[in-house]
Amino acid sequence: MFRISVTVCGRGIFKRLASSFSGENALPSNLRIPSNLVDRARAKRPPPPADSSLPVLRRCDAAVPLHLSPVQTWVETLERRDSKQLGLVDLHPDVFAVPTRIDILHEVELWQRNFKRISRAHTKVRSEVSGGGKKPWRQKGSGKARHGSIRSPIWRGGGVSHGPRGPTSFYYMLPMKVRVQGLKIALSSKLAQDYLHVVDTLNIPTPDPQYLMDLIRYRHWGESVLIVDAGEELPENILQATESLKTVNVIPAIGLNVHSMLKHEVLVLTLEAVKFLEKKLLWHDERFTPLYPFKLPYTDLP
Amino acid sequence: MSFTKKPGGKALDILQNLPRITLANLRPEPGTKKAEKKRGRGQYGGNRSGRGHKGERQRGNRPRLGFEGGQTPFYLAIPKYGYNEGHSRRAQYQPLTLNRLQYLIDLGRIDPTQPIDLTQLVNGRGVTIQPQKRDYGVQLVGEGDGIFAAKVNIEVQMASEEAIAAIERNGGIVTTGFYDPRSLAVLCKPVPFFISGQPIPKRMLPGEDMVPYYTDAANRGYLADPEKIKKARIALAQKYGYILPDISKDELFHMLSMRKDPRQIFFGLSPGWVVNMAEKKILKPTDDKLLQYYNS
C-alpha cells in the first residue's frame, strides 16, 4: 500500500501529478520520455550516504541556518578518464537546495531574451511614403472612388497604418533578488536532478577535444556540458579543447546565467566556482537596500 | 530547533523523478498570464470591435471629459479655494516615531553610544528621505513614548513636545536643526557627494518663517539660548511629571553634549574641506578669502 502525501504548497503541476498517480508511482503519459532518447546507462546515482568514507574537501563558508543542513555531492577530477571520486563537498542549502519555482525560471529566461532586444523593424506611414501630396483625380464626376492621396493605407504601395515604428527597445529590469533567486533555483534543480558535477580543477592532460568527449561519454554525463570556473584565467588546455566543440563550453563564474544552465544538460563547477557563487548569491539574503549604486563604497553593508 | 528540515522539502524529491528542466519546460504559473484583448479580430472581437452601436460612441466623436451636455459641469460649478495652493512647495518632514527609534536601537541598526544624526538614521535604513521632493528632514513624533527607554543624543529637524519629554526623561538630549535642501542631500547621501569632489558646503540659516521655531527653547532649537534650554528642560519635566536626570554626572556626558555648529553639516568635518575617499585624505582650503567665507 503506497500512500502519497500531497503537501499544501505543492500547487499546480505537483497537485495534478499526485492526482494522476496510480499505485505504481508512474509518470503521466505526457512526461514519459521515449525509450530511444533515454540513456539507460545513465542511472540516477543516489546522493552520498551520510557514513561515506570519502573526506569532505570543502565545508560551507557561510553559516548554515540551524533548521537546515548542507547538501553534499562528490568531487571528481578531469585528469584521467576513469578516475574515482576524490571526496565530498558541502553545499549551502540556501543556494543549492532552494524550493523549485519554474515560474521564476520562466520570468528570468524571458527577461534574458528580451531585455537586450532592439527590434529595428520600421515601416513608413502615409506621410513618409514618397509622393502622395496631390489629389489623384477630382472629387466628383470621374466615376471613380473618391481619394485624397495615392499613398493612403488603402492603396497598393501606400503607407502602413499601424506598423512597427522605428527601433523599439524591450528593455526592462527584473528586481535583483528575483534574478538571484533564478540562479539559485537553476543550481538547485541541476543538483536535485543529478546534472551537477563538482570538479577540483579544470586541468586536463591534453588539449584534444576528443579526450573531453570520451570522458563525458564514459562517465555518462549527458549531451551538452557547461563548465564553470571562478576566475578569468582558464587553463590553456581546456580552452583549446572546448574551442572547436559546440556542445561543451567553458565560462567564468560571473557569466553564469539561467539560459545557459538550462540549455546545457550538465553543469560542471570547480571548487573555487562553488565558493564564489555561494559568496555572491548568499550576500543578497542579508544586505540592506541600496541608497546609491552598489559599485560606490559602503562602510556598513554586510 | 531540535529537528532539521530537509532543505528544499518534498519538491526536490519529486523533482528527481521528473524530466529535466529545460528551456522547453518552462511555463508561467497558470492564471498569471491573461490573453490580450484583440480588437477587430475573430467572431467576438470583430464586428463593431467593442465600440457599441452608431452614435458618437462608435464614431469617436464624444465630447471632452467633464462635459455634462451643456449643464455647468461639476469642476466649474464648485468655487475655487486655495486648499492645495502651493502644496508642492510646502516643506515636508518625514515622521519618525519613538517606537521605530527604539526598534532600530534594539536591532543594532542605530548606535546609541554615538550622536544620532540624520546620516545615521538613513544608514540604518530607519527613514527614507527624498531631498528632491521638498523633504526638509525628519520630525520626531511622540507615538511610543510609553515604551521608549534609550539614552540618546539625537538631532532632528522638528520634534513634538511629548517626544522631547520622552527622550529627556530617559536622560537623553534632543536638538532641532535646520538643513537647507542642498545640505540635506549631502547629509543623507554623503558617499556620492564625497566622490563628486566638491568642498563641503556651509549649512544655510533657516528662512524667515522658520527662524522663530529654531530660536525657541521649547523646541530645543539649535539657535536658541542654552540657558533658556536648561530652564525649558526643567519646565517640561514639571509639566509631564518626571524627575529630570542629571546628565553632567553621566559617563557618556561628553558624547551627549556634542552639538554641531550652526554652519556644520558633519561632526568632525568643517565646511570647505574636500574629502578624498579613494586615498583617504582630507584637503583643507588655505586661501584667505575662502577661509573667510567658510568661517563666517
Side-chain angles (χ1 to χ4, degrees):
Chain A
M1 207 163 69
F2 194 94
R3 211 172 343 117
I4 299 158
S5 56
V6 180
T7 57
V8 174
C9 57
R11 275 184 233 111
I13 182 172
F14 298 134
K15 218 182 226 163
R16 276 184 262 129
L17 274 184
S19 61
S20 60
F21 268 34
S22 50
E24 322 92 45
N25 197 13
L27 278 181
S29 53
N30 64 326
L31 293 177
R32 265 179 244 142
I33 304 178
S35 43
N36 59 334
L37 296 176
V38 170
D39 186 4
R40 292 258 175 244
R42 190 184 184 283
K44 285 232 182 326
R45 27 168 214 184
D51 54 352
S52 168
S53 58
L54 293 169
V56 178
L57 297 179
R58 181 203 167 248
R59 300 265 178 203
C60 292
D61 295 322
V64 175
L66 290 173
H67 66 289
L68 299 171
S69 57
V71 262
Q72 287 194 325
T73 192
W74 285 281
V75 178
E76 300 164 27
T77 179
L78 297 174
E79 302 277 343
R80 289 168 303 281
R81 189 185 78 152
D82 44 359
S83 69
K84 293 229 183 347
Q85 289 117 4
L86 297 180
L88 296 176
V89 61
D90 267 354
L91 301 171
H92 200 288
D94 278 338
V95 174
F96 286 92
V98 298
T100 313
R101 291 273 307 266
I102 305 191
D103 56 326
I104 292 187
L105 288 179
H106 173 77
E107 268 180 27
V108 176
E109 166 60 31
L110 281 183
W111 169 77
Q112 264 191 271
R113 275 215 291 250
N114 286 336
F115 86 106
K116 288 188 274 205
R117 178 178 167 208
I118 300 181
S119 150
R120 291 178 217 276
H122 180 90
T123 54
K124 288 183 166 48
V125 170
R126 63 185 284 175
S127 57
E128 288 169 1
V129 179
S130 194
K134 186 162 167 242
K135 197 166 167 65
W137 44 77
R138 57 182 190 277
Q139 176 83 359
K140 300 183 75 63
S142 66
K144 299 194 212 169
R146 52 190 180 181
H147 288 293
S149 129
I150 56 166
R151 302 297 188 203
S152 97
I154 309 177
W155 281 62
R156 173 189 180 278
V160 179
S161 330
H162 297 294
R165 292 295 292 158
T168 328
S169 152
F170 290 82
Y171 172 81
Y172 68 102
M173 289 309 278
L174 278 182
M176 207 192 291
K177 294 190 186 178
V178 173
R179 289 178 265 141
V180 164
Q181 190 68 13
L183 282 173
K184 290 181 185 168
I185 293 172
L187 288 169
S188 313
S189 58
K190 285 285 178 208
L191 181 63
Q193 296 189 311
D194 194 34
Y195 288 108
L196 182 74
H197 298 267
V198 180
V199 152
D200 55 347
T201 45
L202 293 187
N203 296 327
I204 50 175
T206 54
D208 186 15
Q210 195 55 38
Y211 169 75
L212 269 182
M213 297 301 290
D214 281 340
L215 190 144
I216 292 166
R217 187 69 51 75
Y218 179 81
R219 296 187 190 180
H220 296 288
W221 276 358
E223 287 175 2
S224 48
V225 180
L226 183 66
I227 308 179
V228 182
D229 195 8
E232 293 282 342
E233 304 86 27
L234 303 161
E236 278 295 324
N237 276 350
I238 196 131
L239 281 177
Q240 273 185 3
T242 49
E243 203 168 340
S244 54
L245 289 174
K246 190 172 150 186
T247 53
V248 182
N249 296 313
V250 189
I251 53 167
I254 27 169
L256 193 64
N257 58 87
V258 164
H259 175 85
S260 301
M261 279 204 269
L262 295 179
K263 192 168 169 75
H264 294 80
E265 204 175 313
V266 171
L267 184 65
V268 172
L269 300 173
T270 54
L271 286 175
E272 290 87 29
V274 167
K275 185 172 155 187
F276 176 86
L277 286 171
E278 277 192 8
K279 182 169 144 226
K280 290 282 180 181
L281 294 178
L282 285 172
W283 178 73
H284 289 279
D285 286 341
E286 288 178 348
R287 63 170 171 88
F288 285 161
T289 61
L291 296 171
Y292 40 85
F294 285 123
K295 288 201 168 70
L296 301 185
Y298 274 87
T299 42
D300 59 337
L301 261 190
Chain B
M1 291 225 202
S2 54
F3 64 93
T4 44
K5 242 170 69 168
K6 188 150 181 279
K10 295 179 180 150
L12 288 181
D13 283 339
I14 300 173
L15 197 60
Q16 282 169 12
N17 296 326
L18 289 174
R20 174 167 71 100
I21 298 182
T22 55
L23 295 171
N25 277 338
L26 301 178
R27 60 183 74 76
E29 191 75 21
T32 45
K33 303 282 182 194
K34 199 166 158 127
E36 203 188 304
K37 210 194 281 199
K38 286 272 168 66
R39 303 226 185 223
R41 301 282 187 277
Q43 180 184 5
Y44 306 106
N47 201 13
R48 296 201 194 90
S49 308
R51 298 287 311 218
H53 176 65
K54 279 191 185 177
E56 283 178 339
R57 294 162 191 238
Q58 192 175 14
R59 294 173 179 141
N61 289 328
R62 270 202 257 211
R64 64 185 180 276
L65 186 66
F67 185 68
E68 290 178 17
Q71 164 182 295
T72 311
F74 170 78
Y75 71 93
L76 289 181
I78 306 296
K80 283 201 212 180
Y81 184 81
Y83 293 109
N84 293 332
E85 177 151 6
H87 75 286
S88 57
R89 272 178 280 232
R90 286 185 206 150
Q92 294 178 347
Y93 294 87
Q94 181 77 0
L96 173 70
T97 54
L98 291 173
N99 273 329
R100 177 102 178 127
L101 186 58
Q102 186 66 56
Y103 173 82
L104 294 167
I105 292 174
D106 288 341
L107 254 62
R109 277 151 67 162
I110 297 218
D111 189 9
T113 59
Q114 294 292 324
I116 297 181
D117 199 4
L118 189 53
T119 321
Q120 305 309 315
L121 287 167
V122 165
N123 281 350
R125 310 302 190 274
V127 289
T128 309
I129 306 284
Q130 297 167 301
Q132 306 265 31
K133 299 280 181 190
R134 271 73 60 196
D135 273 352
Y136 271 71
V138 88
Q139 55 174 322
L140 210 52
V141 160
E143 191 162 323
D145 48 359
I147 56 137
F148 189 75
K151 187 167 61 174
V152 289
N153 173 8
I154 189 163
E155 204 220 17
V156 288
Q157 278 65 57
M158 274 179 135
S160 73
E161 206 183 44
E162 294 90 354
I164 299 176
I167 294 192
E168 289 182 348
R169 185 186 305 144
N170 289 303
I173 293 195
V174 196
T175 331
T176 48
F178 175 81
Y179 288 86
D180 56 292
R182 184 176 176 217
S183 311
L184 191 71
V186 167
L187 185 68
C188 290
K189 293 189 183 171
V191 171
F193 175 76
F194 292 148
I195 287 181
S196 70
Q198 296 168 51
I200 299 176
K202 57 179 188 180
R203 236 206 289 178
M204 293 294 128
L205 293 171
E208 217 179 285
D209 47 343
M210 293 308 285
V211 164
Y213 183 87
Y214 288 108
T215 43
D216 193 1
N219 303 326
R220 309 291 186 269
Y222 72 133
L223 299 172
D225 199 359
E227 299 299 318
K228 293 206 179 115
I229 289 188
K230 279 195 195 136
K231 287 189 197 147
R233 280 166 63 90
I234 299 166
L236 200 67
Q238 280 180 345
K239 178 175 175 188
Y240 279 84
Y242 58 87
I243 306 168
L244 189 66
D246 194 4
I247 302 182
S248 51
K249 299 200 176 45
D250 202 327
E251 55 192 2
L252 289 171
F253 173 62
H254 173 70
M255 185 280 288
L256 287 175
S257 57
M258 272 168 86
R259 285 181 111 211
K260 282 187 199 168
D261 188 63
R263 293 289 197 181
Q264 194 185 14
I265 300 185
F266 298 108
F267 279 117
L269 292 174
S270 273
W273 293 1
V274 180
V275 174
N276 185 343
M277 291 196 68
E279 291 163 27
K280 299 208 165 50
K281 287 196 181 129
I282 298 182
L283 307 163
K284 303 181 189 176
T286 46
D287 191 37
D288 283 331
K289 280 199 181 137
L290 284 176
L291 286 170
Q292 200 182 7
Y293 170 74
Y294 282 118
N295 288 339
S296 61

